[in-house]
Amino acid sequence: MQFLATNDPLALAVVEAIRGGHIDTLKRLLADHPGLAQTSIGGEADGRKPQQSRTLLHIVTDWPGHFPRGAETVAILVTAGANVNAQFIGPHTETPLHWAASCDDVSVLDALLDRGADIEARGAVIAGGTALADATAFGQWKAARRLVERGAKTTLWEASALGLLERIETMFSTAVPPTEEITRCFWGACHGGQQETAQYLLDRGADINWIGWDELTPLDAAGRAGANSLVAWLYHRGAKSAKELRGV
């Protein structure tokens, strides 16, 4: 893989073309610089492998995503030789699909999958998981549901956050998880605003007042999600906020 420094004029030009949706400029740059589609941005000035770098497909899918003509840009880059499953070089190994999922950019997500992106590729910032792990953890629900539609496998936590009760019941029929996992999944159901799933998990031993991720209880997570009916149901069942539990 070739590397370009972030401030290299060619790197600046191709990033601007991608983010601006300037398709003609992108095609010209690719034609004028053979191998550019396989280049990673973030290299050292002398071309050495950097501690962190991202491919051009990562740039298409970088936060906040939804860049103009993003799906078309993916097609052009893959046709030019970009590796649709290339990994980020850095503290994690996310693929472009992970980044598209994290941005809720469904059209780009579809474009990547249509061109061979591995839906089960690992490397997420969330426990090294798949793109679905990122999408559910970050509340990118359109992308999460599209991944499931496209055949993504789900962990119990992911199924809980998405309210996929049939999948959850199947998992429970095989082996009942430990109470700690049930509690974490209950928190995930509240994070996703999934009342029916939350009730199923609470009835199976979940701790209604566990303080979980972001120092939030299930009640706090439901409130953050704007799930007002779930919040009311949780209150009725004795749920408390983290502040209440800490006496703040």
Side-chain angles (χ1 to χ4, degrees):
M1 179 182 291
Q2 303 179 61
F3 297 96
L4 282 175
T6 305
N7 62 352
D8 185 286
L10 178 55
L12 294 172
V14 74
V15 169
E16 181 180 359
I18 289 171
R19 290 182 172 174
H22 305 309
I23 297 299
D24 290 340
T25 300
L26 178 61
K27 288 180 177 178
R28 177 179 55 77
L29 290 170
L30 291 169
D32 291 347
H33 301 276
L36 179 59
Q38 295 89 39
T39 297
S40 193
I41 306 294
E44 304 294 339
D46 60 3
R48 289 178 299 158
K49 182 177 180 179
Q51 291 186 339
Q52 292 192 27
S53 73
R54 53 198 175 142
T55 69
L56 301 190
L57 285 173
H58 283 97
I59 291 168
V60 183
T61 55
D62 199 1
W63 183 263
H66 304 273
F67 296 117
R69 304 175 78 175
E72 189 176 352
T73 300
V74 167
I76 290 168
L77 290 173
V78 174
T79 298
N83 179 3
V84 74
N85 290 311
Q87 296 176 321
F88 175 76
I89 295 174
H92 52 80
T93 55
E94 290 181 309
T95 66
L97 186 66
H98 284 88
W99 287 23
S102 297
C103 294
D104 222 19
D105 198 337
V106 174
S107 64
V108 167
L109 182 150
D110 277 335
L112 291 166
L113 290 173
D114 290 345
R115 286 158 183 84
D118 180 1
I119 202 168
E120 300 299 334
R122 309 289 295 180
V125 294
I126 305 300
T130 66
L132 185 58
D134 280 344
T136 50
F138 299 139
Q140 304 300 297
W141 304 118
K142 292 178 182 178
R145 294 192 182 285
R146 181 56 63 86
L147 286 166
V148 172
E149 290 171 2
R150 297 288 302 251
K153 299 175 183 177
T154 51
T155 64
L156 182 56
W157 195 95
E158 292 158 2
S160 299
L162 287 165
L164 302 177
L165 192 52
E166 288 187 6
R167 292 195 184 194
I168 296 166
E169 290 172 337
T170 298
M171 293 177 191
F172 268 77
S173 69
T174 302
V176 177
T179 301
E180 293 81 2
E181 185 177 358
I182 294 174
T183 293
R184 290 192 292 269
C185 292
F186 173 75
W187 190 102
C190 294
H191 162 70
Q194 302 297 332
Q195 183 170 331
E196 185 178 8
T197 300
Q199 181 168 349
Y200 179 90
L201 295 167
L202 185 62
D203 290 347
R204 283 154 183 80
D207 180 355
I208 197 170
N209 285 318
W210 179 63
I211 298 177
W213 293 277
D214 299 329
E215 295 299 306
L216 301 178
T217 64
L219 178 66
D220 297 325
R224 181 176 65 177
N228 296 331
S229 61
L230 176 55
V231 167
W233 177 81
L234 288 166
Y235 265 126
H236 181 71
R237 298 297 294 266
K240 298 182 182 297
S241 69
K243 289 184 178 180
E244 288 177 298
L245 291 173
R246 291 177 174 135
V248 177

